[in-house]
Every structure is written in C-alpha cells, then in structure tokens.
Amino acid sequence: MSEARIERGSAGELCLVGVLDYSTGPALREAGRQLIRSLSGKDLVLDCSAVQKSSSVGLSLLLAFMRDAASAGKSVTLRGLPGDMRQIAEVSGLTELLPRGV
C-alpha cells in the first residue's frame, strides 16, 4: 500500500493519491481544506485516478472537499473516480451528489 496524499496538479486541480481509509482520512481532510483555500480561480478538478483503494472515508473526503470548494465559491468536477468509490456512492444513494467528471 502506498502513502496517501493530496497534491496540486495542473492549474485548479487537486490529485488524491494512494489508499483512502480511516488511517489516512484525517490528514487528507486537513491538507485538502488548506489546498482548496489556497487555489485561485473558480473551477476545481478533484482527480481520483491515482487512488489505489478507498473505503467510505474516500467518499466522505470528496463530499467534504466539495463543501469546502462551495464555501470558497468554486465549482467542482470529479475525474477518474475509482470503481470502489463509485460503488460506495451508489449503495449510499449519493451518486446524484457527485459532479459529473471530465
């Protein structure tokens, strides 16, 4: 398993990397909040294509990041949502809350 992290990608893009679970969630939550605040521009892409595995914590992180972005006046697009995160969203009835990806 890899170390989980959130990092800046291209302009207006944040990339989630690694395994998203109860042990990595709290640090990622705070790091993501800080990064979203620091980004200029009105559009944010959350790229999940480098997520190796995710529990429900990963979906919780996405929803929290979407709230942070909305509070900062940014629109959000998801990219590369892994199958396990998509399945958790479907089972939880949250699919309609997730913005369409690019």
Side-chain angles (χ1 to χ4, degrees):
M1 297 204 187
S2 76
E3 179 183 328
R5 64 187 183 280
I6 185 167
E7 56 193 31
R8 287 181 192 253
S10 61
E13 180 180 80
L14 295 179
C15 305
L16 282 162
V17 179
V19 177
L20 311 181
D21 62 18
Y22 72 94
S23 67
T24 60
L28 289 172
R29 174 68 184 107
E30 186 54 34
R33 180 186 350 247
Q34 298 288 333
L35 284 170
I36 290 168
R37 285 183 188 164
S38 72
L39 292 174
S40 59
K42 294 185 179 186
D43 298 317
L44 171 63
V45 174
L46 291 171
D47 186 348
C48 301
S49 59
V51 171
Q52 295 173 338
K53 184 175 173 142
S54 179
S55 70
S56 59
V57 170
L59 185 59
S60 177
L61 284 170
L62 291 182
L63 294 172
F65 294 156
M66 289 166 53
R67 281 193 309 271
D68 293 341
S71 293
K74 299 177 189 312
S75 65
V76 177
T77 303
L78 294 180
R79 180 186 303 150
L81 193 66
D84 54 358
M85 291 176 83
R86 191 175 308 279
Q87 287 177 342
I88 293 166
E90 289 172 5
V91 168
S92 303
L94 299 172
T95 306
E96 62 277 357
L97 295 179
L98 301 177
R100 300 276 179 210
V102 292

Coordinates of all heavy atoms in Angstrom, one line a residue:
M1 N 0.8 -1.2 0.0 CA 0.0 0.0 0.0 C 0.9 1.2 0.0 O 1.9 1.3 0.6 CB -0.9 0.0 1.2 CG -1.9 -1.1 1.2 SD -3.3 -0.7 2.2 CE -4.1 -2.3 2.2
S2 N 0.4 2.3 -0.7 CA 1.2 3.5 -0.8 C 0.7 4.5 0.3 O -0.4 4.4 0.8 CB 1.0 4.1 -2.2 OG -0.2 4.7 -2.3
E3 N 1.6 5.4 0.5 CA 1.2 6.6 1.3 C 0.2 7.4 0.6 O 0.2 7.6 -0.5 CB 2.5 7.4 1.6 CG 2.2 8.6 2.4 CD 3.5 9.4 2.6 OE1 4.6 8.9 2.6 OE2 3.4 10.7 2.7
A4 N -0.8 7.8 1.4 CA -1.9 8.6 0.8 C -1.5 10.1 0.9 O -0.9 10.5 1.8 CB -3.2 8.4 1.5
R5 N -1.9 10.8 -0.1 CA -1.6 12.3 -0.1 C -2.6 13.0 -1.1 O -3.2 12.3 -1.9 CB -0.2 12.5 -0.5 CG 0.2 12.1 -1.9 CD 1.7 12.3 -2.1 NE 2.1 11.9 -3.5 CZ 2.2 10.7 -4.0 NH1 2.1 9.7 -3.2 NH2 2.6 10.5 -5.2
I6 N -2.7 14.3 -0.9 CA -3.4 15.1 -1.9 C -2.4 16.2 -2.3 O -1.6 16.7 -1.5 CB -4.6 15.7 -1.3 CG1 -5.4 16.5 -2.3 CG2 -4.3 16.6 0.0 CD1 -6.8 16.9 -1.9
E7 N -2.3 16.4 -3.6 CA -1.3 17.3 -4.2 C -1.9 18.1 -5.3 O -2.9 17.7 -5.9 CB -0.1 16.5 -4.6 CG -0.4 15.4 -5.7 CD 0.7 14.5 -5.9 OE1 1.5 14.2 -5.0 OE2 0.8 14.0 -7.0
R8 N -1.2 19.2 -5.5 CA -1.6 20.1 -6.7 C -1.2 19.4 -8.0 O -0.1 18.9 -8.1 CB -0.9 21.4 -6.6 CG -1.4 22.3 -5.5 CD -0.6 23.6 -5.6 NE -0.8 24.4 -4.4 CZ -1.5 25.5 -4.4 NH1 -2.1 26.0 -5.5 NH2 -1.7 26.2 -3.3
G9 N -2.1 19.5 -8.9 CA -1.9 19.1 -10.3 C -1.7 20.3 -11.1 O -1.1 21.3 -10.7
S10 N -2.3 20.3 -12.3 CA -2.3 21.5 -13.1 C -3.2 22.6 -12.5 O -3.8 22.3 -11.5 CB -2.7 21.1 -14.5 OG -4.1 20.7 -14.5
A11 N -3.2 23.7 -13.1 CA -4.0 24.8 -12.5 C -5.4 24.4 -12.2 O -6.1 23.8 -13.0 CB -4.0 26.0 -13.5
G12 N -5.8 24.6 -10.9 CA -7.2 24.3 -10.5 C -7.4 22.9 -10.3 O -8.6 22.4 -10.2
E13 N -6.4 22.0 -10.1 CA -6.6 20.6 -10.0 C -5.9 20.1 -8.7 O -4.8 20.5 -8.4 CB -6.0 19.9 -11.2 CG -6.1 18.4 -11.2 CD -5.5 17.8 -12.4 OE1 -4.2 17.6 -12.4 OE2 -6.2 17.4 -13.3
L14 N -6.6 19.2 -8.0 CA -6.0 18.6 -6.8 C -6.1 17.1 -7.1 O -7.2 16.6 -7.6 CB -6.8 18.9 -5.6 CG -6.7 20.3 -5.1 CD1 -7.5 20.5 -3.8 CD2 -5.2 20.8 -4.9
C15 N -5.1 16.3 -6.8 CA -5.0 14.9 -7.1 C -4.9 14.1 -5.8 O -4.0 14.4 -5.0 CB -3.7 14.6 -7.9 SG -3.7 15.5 -9.5
L16 N -5.8 13.2 -5.6 CA -5.8 12.3 -4.5 C -5.0 11.0 -4.9 O -5.2 10.5 -6.0 CB -7.2 11.9 -4.1 CG -7.9 12.9 -3.2 CD1 -9.4 12.6 -3.2 CD2 -7.4 12.9 -1.8
V17 N -4.1 10.6 -4.0 CA -3.2 9.5 -4.4 C -3.1 8.5 -3.2 O -3.1 8.9 -2.1 CB -1.7 10.0 -4.6 CG1 -0.8 8.9 -5.0 CG2 -1.8 11.1 -5.7
G18 N -3.1 7.2 -3.6 CA -2.9 6.2 -2.6 C -4.2 5.5 -2.0 O -5.2 5.4 -2.7
V19 N -4.1 5.1 -0.8 CA -5.2 4.4 -0.1 C -5.9 5.3 0.8 O -5.3 5.9 1.7 CB -4.7 3.2 0.7 CG1 -5.8 2.5 1.4 CG2 -3.9 2.2 -0.3
L20 N -7.2 5.5 0.6 CA -8.1 6.4 1.4 C -8.9 5.5 2.4 O -9.8 4.8 2.0 CB -9.0 7.2 0.5 CG -8.4 7.8 -0.7 CD1 -9.5 8.6 -1.5 CD2 -7.3 8.7 -0.3
D21 N -8.5 5.6 3.7 CA -9.2 4.9 4.7 C -9.1 5.6 6.0 O -8.7 6.8 6.1 CB -8.6 3.5 4.8 CG -7.2 3.4 5.2 OD1 -6.6 4.4 5.8 OD2 -6.5 2.4 5.1
Y22 N -9.6 5.0 7.1 CA -9.7 5.7 8.4 C -8.3 6.2 8.9 O -8.2 7.1 9.6 CB -10.3 4.7 9.4 CG -9.4 3.6 9.8 CD1 -8.6 3.7 11.0 CD2 -9.3 2.4 9.1 CE1 -7.7 2.7 11.3 CE2 -8.4 1.4 9.5 CZ -7.6 1.5 10.6 OH -6.8 0.5 10.9
S23 N -7.2 5.5 8.5 CA -5.9 5.9 9.0 C -5.3 7.1 8.2 O -4.5 7.9 8.7 CB -4.9 4.8 8.9 OG -4.6 4.4 7.6
T24 N -5.8 7.3 7.0 CA -5.3 8.4 6.2 C -6.2 9.6 6.0 O -5.8 10.7 5.7 CB -4.9 7.9 4.7 OG1 -6.1 7.4 4.1 CG2 -3.8 6.9 4.8
G25 N -7.5 9.4 6.3 CA -8.5 10.4 6.1 C -8.3 11.7 6.9 O -8.4 12.7 6.2
P26 N -8.1 11.7 8.2 CA -8.0 13.0 8.9 C -6.9 13.9 8.3 O -7.1 15.1 8.2 CB -7.7 12.5 10.3 CG -8.3 11.2 10.5 CD -8.0 10.5 9.1
A27 N -5.7 13.4 8.0 CA -4.6 14.2 7.5 C -5.0 14.7 6.1 O -4.7 15.9 5.8 CB -3.3 13.4 7.5
L28 N -5.6 13.8 5.3 CA -6.0 14.3 4.0 C -7.1 15.3 4.0 O -7.1 16.3 3.2 CB -6.5 13.1 3.1 CG -5.5 12.1 2.7 CD1 -6.1 10.8 2.1 CD2 -4.5 12.7 1.7
R29 N -8.0 15.2 5.0 CA -9.1 16.2 5.1 C -8.5 17.6 5.4 O -8.9 18.6 4.7 CB -10.0 15.8 6.3 CG -11.0 16.8 6.6 CD -12.1 16.9 5.5 NE -13.0 17.9 5.8 CZ -13.1 19.1 5.2 NH1 -12.2 19.4 4.2 NH2 -14.0 20.0 5.5
E30 N -7.6 17.7 6.3 CA -7.0 19.0 6.6 C -6.1 19.5 5.5 O -6.2 20.7 5.1 CB -6.2 18.9 7.9 CG -5.7 20.3 8.4 CD -6.8 21.3 8.5 OE1 -7.9 21.0 8.9 OE2 -6.5 22.5 8.2
A31 N -5.3 18.6 4.9 CA -4.5 19.1 3.7 C -5.3 19.6 2.6 O -5.0 20.6 1.9 CB -3.6 17.9 3.3
G32 N -6.4 18.9 2.3 CA -7.3 19.3 1.2 C -8.0 20.6 1.5 O -8.1 21.4 0.6
R33 N -8.4 20.8 2.7 CA -9.0 22.1 3.1 C -8.1 23.2 2.8 O -8.4 24.2 2.3 CB -9.5 22.0 4.5 CG -10.1 23.3 5.0 CD -10.4 23.4 6.5 NE -10.3 22.2 7.3 CZ -11.3 21.5 7.9 NH1 -12.5 22.0 7.7 NH2 -11.0 20.5 8.6
Q34 N -6.8 23.0 3.3 CA -5.8 24.1 3.1 C -5.5 24.3 1.6 O -5.4 25.5 1.2 CB -4.5 23.7 3.8 CG -4.6 23.5 5.3 CD -4.8 24.8 6.0 OE1 -4.3 25.9 5.5 NE2 -5.4 24.8 7.1
L35 N -5.4 23.3 0.8 CA -5.1 23.4 -0.6 C -6.3 24.1 -1.3 O -6.1 25.0 -2.2 CB -4.8 22.1 -1.3 CG -3.5 21.5 -1.0 CD1 -3.4 20.1 -1.4 CD2 -2.4 22.4 -1.6
I36 N -7.5 23.8 -1.0 CA -8.7 24.4 -1.7 C -8.7 25.9 -1.4 O -8.9 26.7 -2.3 CB -10.0 23.7 -1.3 CG1 -10.0 22.3 -1.9 CG2 -11.2 24.5 -1.7 CD1 -11.1 21.4 -1.3
R37 N -8.4 26.2 -0.2 CA -8.4 27.7 0.2 C -7.3 28.4 -0.6 O -7.5 29.6 -0.9 CB -8.1 27.8 1.7 CG -9.3 27.5 2.6 CD -8.9 27.7 4.0 NE -10.0 27.3 4.9 CZ -9.8 27.1 6.2 NH1 -8.7 27.3 6.8 NH2 -10.8 26.6 6.9
S38 N -6.2 27.7 -0.9 CA -5.1 28.4 -1.5 C -5.2 28.5 -3.0 O -4.4 29.3 -3.6 CB -3.8 27.7 -1.1 OG -3.7 26.5 -1.8
L39 N -6.1 27.8 -3.6 CA -6.2 27.8 -5.1 C -6.9 29.1 -5.5 O -7.9 29.5 -5.0 CB -7.0 26.6 -5.5 CG -6.3 25.2 -5.4 CD1 -7.3 24.1 -5.8 CD2 -5.0 25.2 -6.2
S40 N -6.4 29.6 -6.6 CA -7.1 30.8 -7.2 C -8.0 30.2 -8.3 O -7.9 29.0 -8.7 CB -6.1 31.8 -7.8 OG -5.3 31.1 -8.8
G41 N -8.9 31.0 -8.8 CA -9.8 30.5 -9.9 C -11.1 30.0 -9.3 O -11.2 29.8 -8.1
K42 N -12.0 29.8 -10.2 CA -13.4 29.4 -9.7 C -13.7 28.0 -10.0 O -14.8 27.5 -9.6 CB -14.4 30.3 -10.4 CG -14.3 31.7 -9.9 CD -15.4 32.6 -10.5 CE -15.3 34.0 -10.0 NZ -16.4 34.8 -10.4
D43 N -12.8 27.3 -10.7 CA -13.1 25.9 -11.0 C -12.0 25.0 -10.3 O -10.9 25.3 -10.3 CB -13.0 25.7 -12.6 CG -14.0 26.5 -13.3 OD1 -15.2 26.5 -12.8 OD2 -13.7 27.1 -14.3
L44 N -12.5 23.9 -9.8 CA -11.7 22.9 -9.1 C -11.9 21.5 -9.7 O -13.1 21.1 -9.8 CB -12.0 22.9 -7.6 CG -11.3 21.8 -6.8 CD1 -9.8 21.9 -6.8 CD2 -11.8 21.8 -5.4
V45 N -10.9 20.8 -10.1 CA -11.0 19.4 -10.5 C -10.4 18.6 -9.4 O -9.2 18.8 -9.0 CB -10.2 19.2 -11.9 CG1 -10.2 17.7 -12.2 CG2 -10.9 20.0 -13.0
L46 N -11.1 17.6 -8.9 CA -10.6 16.6 -8.0 C -10.3 15.4 -8.8 O -11.2 14.7 -9.2 CB -11.6 16.4 -6.9 CG -11.9 17.5 -5.9 CD1 -13.0 17.2 -5.0 CD2 -10.6 17.8 -5.1
D47 N -9.0 15.1 -9.0 CA -8.6 13.9 -9.8 C -8.4 12.7 -8.8 O -7.5 12.8 -8.0 CB -7.4 14.3 -10.6 CG -6.9 13.2 -11.5 OD1 -7.5 12.0 -11.4 OD2 -6.1 13.4 -12.3
C48 N -9.1 11.7 -9.0 CA -9.0 10.5 -8.2 C -8.4 9.3 -8.9 O -8.4 8.2 -8.4 CB -10.4 10.1 -7.7 SG -11.3 11.4 -6.7
S49 N -7.8 9.5 -10.1 CA -7.3 8.4 -10.9 C -6.1 7.7 -10.3 O -5.9 6.6 -10.6 CB -7.0 8.9 -12.3 OG -6.0 10.0 -12.2
A50 N -5.5 8.3 -9.3 CA -4.3 7.7 -8.6 C -4.7 7.1 -7.3 O -3.8 6.6 -6.5 CB -3.2 8.6 -8.5
V51 N -6.0 7.0 -7.0 CA -6.5 6.3 -5.8 C -6.4 4.8 -6.0 O -6.9 4.3 -6.9 CB -7.9 6.8 -5.4 CG1 -8.4 5.9 -4.2 CG2 -7.9 8.2 -5.0
Q52 N -5.6 4.2 -5.1 CA -5.4 2.7 -5.3 C -6.6 1.9 -4.7 O -7.0 0.9 -5.2 CB -4.1 2.3 -4.6 CG -2.9 2.9 -5.3 CD -1.6 2.5 -4.6 OE1 -1.6 2.3 -3.4 NE2 -0.5 2.6 -5.3
K53 N -7.1 2.4 -3.6 CA -8.2 1.7 -2.9 C -8.9 2.8 -2.0 O -8.2 3.6 -1.4 CB -7.6 0.6 -2.0 CG -8.7 -0.2 -1.4 CD -8.1 -1.4 -0.7 CE -9.2 -2.1 0.1 NZ -9.2 -3.5 0.1
S54 N -10.2 2.6 -1.8 CA -10.9 3.5 -0.9 C -12.0 2.8 -0.1 O -12.7 2.0 -0.7 CB -11.5 4.6 -1.8 OG -12.2 5.5 -1.0
S55 N -12.1 3.2 1.1 CA -13.3 2.9 1.9 C -14.3 4.0 1.8 O -14.1 4.9 1.0 CB -12.8 2.7 3.4 OG -12.5 3.9 4.0
S56 N -15.3 4.0 2.6 CA -16.2 5.1 2.6 C -15.6 6.4 3.0 O -16.1 7.5 2.7 CB -17.4 4.8 3.6 OG -16.9 4.6 4.9
V57 N -14.4 6.4 3.6 CA -13.7 7.6 4.0 C -13.4 8.4 2.8 O -13.4 9.6 2.8 CB -12.4 7.2 4.8 CG1 -11.5 8.4 5.0 CG2 -12.8 6.6 6.1
G58 N -13.0 7.7 1.7 CA -12.7 8.4 0.4 C -13.9 9.2 -0.1 O -13.8 10.4 -0.5
L59 N -15.1 8.6 0.0 CA -16.3 9.3 -0.5 C -16.6 10.5 0.5 O -16.9 11.6 0.1 CB -17.5 8.4 -0.5 CG -18.7 8.9 -1.1 CD1 -18.6 9.4 -2.5 CD2 -19.8 7.9 -1.0
S60 N -16.4 10.3 1.8 CA -16.6 11.3 2.8 C -15.6 12.5 2.5 O -16.0 13.7 2.6 CB -16.3 10.8 4.2 OG -16.4 11.8 5.1
L61 N -14.4 12.2 2.1 CA -13.4 13.3 1.8 C -13.9 14.1 0.6 O -13.8 15.3 0.6 CB -12.0 12.7 1.5 CG -11.2 12.2 2.7 CD1 -10.0 11.4 2.2 CD2 -10.8 13.4 3.5
L62 N -14.4 13.4 -0.5 CA -14.8 14.1 -1.6 C -16.0 15.0 -1.3 O -16.0 16.2 -1.7 CB -15.3 13.1 -2.7 CG -14.2 12.3 -3.4 CD1 -14.8 11.4 -4.5 CD2 -13.1 13.2 -4.0
L63 N -16.9 14.6 -0.5 CA -18.1 15.4 -0.1 C -17.6 16.6 0.7 O -18.1 17.7 0.5 CB -19.1 14.6 0.6 CG -19.8 13.5 -0.2 CD1 -20.6 12.6 0.7 CD2 -20.6 14.1 -1.3
A64 N -16.6 16.4 1.6 CA -16.1 17.5 2.4 C -15.4 18.5 1.5 O -15.5 19.7 1.7 CB -15.2 16.9 3.5
F65 N -14.6 18.0 0.6 CA -13.9 18.9 -0.3 C -14.9 19.7 -1.2 O -14.6 20.8 -1.5 CB -12.9 18.1 -1.2 CG -11.8 17.5 -0.5 CD1 -11.1 16.4 -1.0 CD2 -11.3 17.9 0.8 CE1 -10.1 15.8 -0.3 CE2 -10.3 17.4 1.4 CZ -9.6 16.3 0.9
M66 N -16.0 19.0 -1.6 CA -17.0 19.8 -2.4 C -17.6 20.9 -1.5 O -17.8 22.0 -2.0 CB -18.1 18.8 -2.8 CG -17.6 17.8 -3.9 SD -18.7 16.4 -4.2 CE -20.2 17.2 -4.5
R67 N -17.8 20.6 -0.2 CA -18.4 21.7 0.6 C -17.3 22.8 0.8 O -17.7 24.0 0.8 CB -18.7 21.1 2.0 CG -20.0 20.4 2.1 CD -20.4 20.1 3.5 NE -19.4 19.5 4.3 CZ -19.2 18.2 4.5 NH1 -19.9 17.3 3.8 NH2 -18.2 17.7 5.2
D68 N -16.1 22.5 1.0 CA -15.0 23.5 1.1 C -15.0 24.3 -0.2 O -14.8 25.6 -0.1 CB -13.6 22.8 1.3 CG -13.5 22.1 2.6 OD1 -14.3 22.4 3.5 OD2 -12.6 21.3 2.7
A69 N -15.0 23.7 -1.3 CA -15.0 24.4 -2.6 C -16.2 25.3 -2.7 O -16.1 26.5 -3.2 CB -14.9 23.4 -3.8
A70 N -17.4 24.8 -2.4 CA -18.6 25.7 -2.5 C -18.5 26.9 -1.6 O -18.8 28.0 -2.0 CB -19.8 24.8 -2.1
S71 N -17.9 26.7 -0.4 CA -17.7 27.8 0.6 C -16.8 28.8 0.0 O -16.9 30.0 0.3 CB -17.2 27.3 1.9 OG -18.2 26.5 2.5
A72 N -15.8 28.4 -0.8 CA -14.8 29.3 -1.4 C -15.3 29.8 -2.8 O -14.6 30.4 -3.5 CB -13.5 28.5 -1.6
G73 N -16.6 29.5 -3.2 CA -17.1 30.0 -4.4 C -16.6 29.2 -5.7 O -16.6 29.8 -6.8
K74 N -16.2 28.0 -5.5 CA -15.6 27.2 -6.6 C -16.6 26.1 -7.1 O -17.2 25.5 -6.2 CB -14.3 26.6 -6.2 CG -13.2 27.6 -5.8 CD -11.9 26.8 -5.4 CE -10.9 27.7 -4.7 NZ -10.6 28.9 -5.5
S75 N -16.6 25.9 -8.4 CA -17.4 24.7 -8.9 C -16.4 23.5 -8.9 O -15.2 23.7 -9.1 CB -17.9 25.0 -10.2 OG -16.9 25.2 -11.2
V76 N -16.9 22.3 -8.8 CA -16.1 21.1 -8.7 C -16.5 20.1 -9.8 O -17.7 19.9 -10.1 CB -16.3 20.4 -7.3 CG1 -15.5 19.1 -7.2 CG2 -15.9 21.3 -6.2
T77 N -15.5 19.5 -10.3 CA -15.6 18.4 -11.3 C -14.8 17.3 -10.7 O -13.6 17.5 -10.3 CB -15.1 18.8 -12.7 OG1 -15.8 20.0 -13.1 CG2 -15.3 17.7 -13.7
L78 N -15.3 16.1 -10.8 CA -14.5 14.9 -10.4 C -13.9 14.2 -11.7 O -14.6 14.1 -12.7 CB -15.4 13.9 -9.7 CG -15.9 14.3 -8.4 CD1 -16.8 13.2 -7.8 CD2 -14.8 14.7 -7.4
R79 N -12.7 13.7 -11.5 CA -12.1 13.0 -12.6 C -11.6 11.7 -12.1 O -11.0 11.6 -11.0 CB -11.0 13.8 -13.2 CG -10.3 13.1 -14.4 CD -9.0 13.8 -14.9 NE -9.4 15.1 -15.3 CZ -8.5 16.2 -15.2 NH1 -7.3 16.0 -14.7 NH2 -8.9 17.3 -15.6
G80 N -11.7 10.6 -12.8 CA -11.1 9.3 -12.5 C -11.6 8.6 -11.3 O -10.8 8.0 -10.5
L81 N -12.9 8.7 -11.0 CA -13.5 8.1 -9.8 C -13.3 6.6 -9.9 O -13.9 6.0 -10.8 CB -14.9 8.5 -9.6 CG -15.6 8.2 -8.3 CD1 -14.9 9.1 -7.2 CD2 -17.0 8.5 -8.3
P82 N -12.6 6.0 -8.9 CA -12.4 4.5 -9.0 C -13.7 3.8 -8.8 O -14.6 4.3 -8.1 CB -11.4 4.2 -7.9 CG -10.9 5.5 -7.4 CD -11.8 6.6 -7.8
G83 N -13.7 2.5 -9.2 CA -14.9 1.7 -9.1 C -15.4 1.5 -7.7 O -16.6 1.6 -7.4
D84 N -14.5 1.3 -6.7 CA -14.9 1.1 -5.3 C -15.6 2.4 -4.8 O -16.6 2.3 -4.1 CB -13.8 0.6 -4.4 CG -12.5 1.5 -4.4 OD1 -12.4 2.5 -5.1 OD2 -11.6 1.1 -3.7
M85 N -15.1 3.5 -5.1 CA -15.7 4.8 -4.6 C -17.1 5.0 -5.3 O -18.0 5.4 -4.7 CB -14.8 6.0 -4.9 CG -13.6 6.0 -4.0 SD -12.5 7.3 -4.4 CE -13.2 8.7 -3.5
R86 N -17.2 4.6 -6.6 CA -18.4 4.7 -7.3 C -19.5 3.8 -6.7 O -20.6 4.1 -6.5 CB -18.2 4.4 -8.8 CG -19.4 4.7 -9.6 CD -19.1 4.5 -11.1 NE -17.9 5.2 -11.6 CZ -17.8 6.5 -11.9 NH1 -18.8 7.3 -11.8 NH2 -16.6 7.0 -12.3
Q87 N -19.1 2.6 -6.3 CA -20.0 1.6 -5.7 C -20.5 2.0 -4.4 O -21.6 1.9 -4.1 CB -19.3 0.2 -5.6 CG -19.1 -0.5 -6.9 CD -18.4 -1.8 -6.8 OE1 -17.7 -2.1 -5.8 NE2 -18.5 -2.7 -7.8
I88 N -19.6 2.6 -3.6 CA -20.0 3.1 -2.3 C -21.0 4.2 -2.4 O -22.0 4.3 -1.7 CB -18.7 3.6 -1.5 CG1 -17.9 2.4 -1.1 CG2 -19.2 4.3 -0.2 CD1 -16.5 2.7 -0.6
A89 N -20.8 5.1 -3.4 CA -21.7 6.2 -3.7 C -23.1 5.6 -4.1 O -24.1 6.1 -3.6 CB -21.2 7.1 -4.7
E90 N -23.1 4.6 -4.9 CA -24.3 4.0 -5.4 C -25.1 3.4 -4.3 O -26.3 3.6 -4.1 CB -24.1 3.0 -6.5 CG -23.6 3.7 -7.8 CD -23.2 2.7 -8.9 OE1 -23.2 1.4 -8.6 OE2 -22.7 3.1 -9.9
V91 N -24.4 2.6 -3.5 CA -25.0 1.9 -2.3 C -25.6 2.9 -1.3 O -26.6 2.7 -0.7 CB -24.1 0.9 -1.7 CG1 -24.6 0.4 -0.3 CG2 -23.8 -0.2 -2.6
S92 N -24.9 4.0 -1.2 CA -25.2 5.0 -0.2 C -26.3 6.0 -0.7 O -26.7 6.9 0.0 CB -24.0 5.8 0.2 OG -23.0 5.0 0.8
G93 N -26.6 5.9 -2.0 CA -27.6 6.8 -2.6 C -27.0 8.2 -2.8 O -27.7 9.2 -2.8
L94 N -25.7 8.3 -3.0 CA -25.0 9.6 -3.1 C -24.5 10.0 -4.5 O -24.0 11.0 -4.7 CB -23.9 9.7 -2.1 CG -24.2 9.6 -0.6 CD1 -23.0 9.5 0.2 CD2 -25.1 10.7 -0.2
T95 N -24.8 9.1 -5.4 CA -24.3 9.3 -6.8 C -24.7 10.6 -7.4 O -23.9 11.3 -8.0 CB -24.8 8.1 -7.7 OG1 -24.4 6.9 -7.1 CG2 -24.1 8.3 -9.1
E96 N -26.0 11.0 -7.1 CA -26.5 12.2 -7.7 C -25.8 13.5 -7.1 O -25.9 14.6 -7.7 CB -28.0 12.3 -7.6 CG -28.5 12.4 -6.1 CD -28.7 11.0 -5.5 OE1 -28.4 9.9 -6.1 OE2 -29.0 10.9 -4.3
L97 N -25.2 13.4 -5.9 CA -24.5 14.5 -5.3 C -23.1 14.7 -6.0 O -22.6 15.8 -5.8 CB -24.3 14.3 -3.8 CG -25.6 14.2 -3.0 CD1 -25.2 14.0 -1.5 CD2 -26.4 15.5 -3.1
L98 N -22.6 13.7 -6.6 CA -21.2 13.9 -7.2 C -21.3 14.6 -8.5 O -22.1 14.2 -9.4 CB -20.6 12.5 -7.3 CG -20.5 11.7 -6.1 CD1 -19.9 10.3 -6.3 CD2 -19.6 12.4 -5.0
P99 N -20.5 15.6 -8.7 CA -20.5 16.3 -10.0 C -19.9 15.4 -11.1 O -19.1 14.5 -10.9 CB -19.5 17.5 -9.8 CG -18.7 17.1 -8.6 CD -19.5 16.1 -7.8
R100 N -20.5 15.6 -12.3 CA -20.0 14.8 -13.5 C -18.5 15.0 -13.7 O -18.0 16.1 -13.6 CB -20.8 15.2 -14.7 CG -22.3 15.0 -14.6 CD -22.6 13.6 -14.9 NE -24.0 13.4 -14.7 CZ -24.6 12.2 -14.4 NH1 -23.8 11.2 -14.1 NH2 -25.8 12.1 -14.2
G101 N -17.9 14.0 -14.1 CA -16.4 14.0 -14.4 C -16.1 14.4 -15.8 O -17.0 14.5 -16.6
V102 N -14.8 14.7 -16.0 CA -14.3 15.0 -17.3 C -13.6 13.9 -17.9 O -13.2 13.0 -17.2 CB -13.5 16.3 -17.3 CG1 -14.3 17.5 -17.0 CG2 -12.3 16.2 -16.3

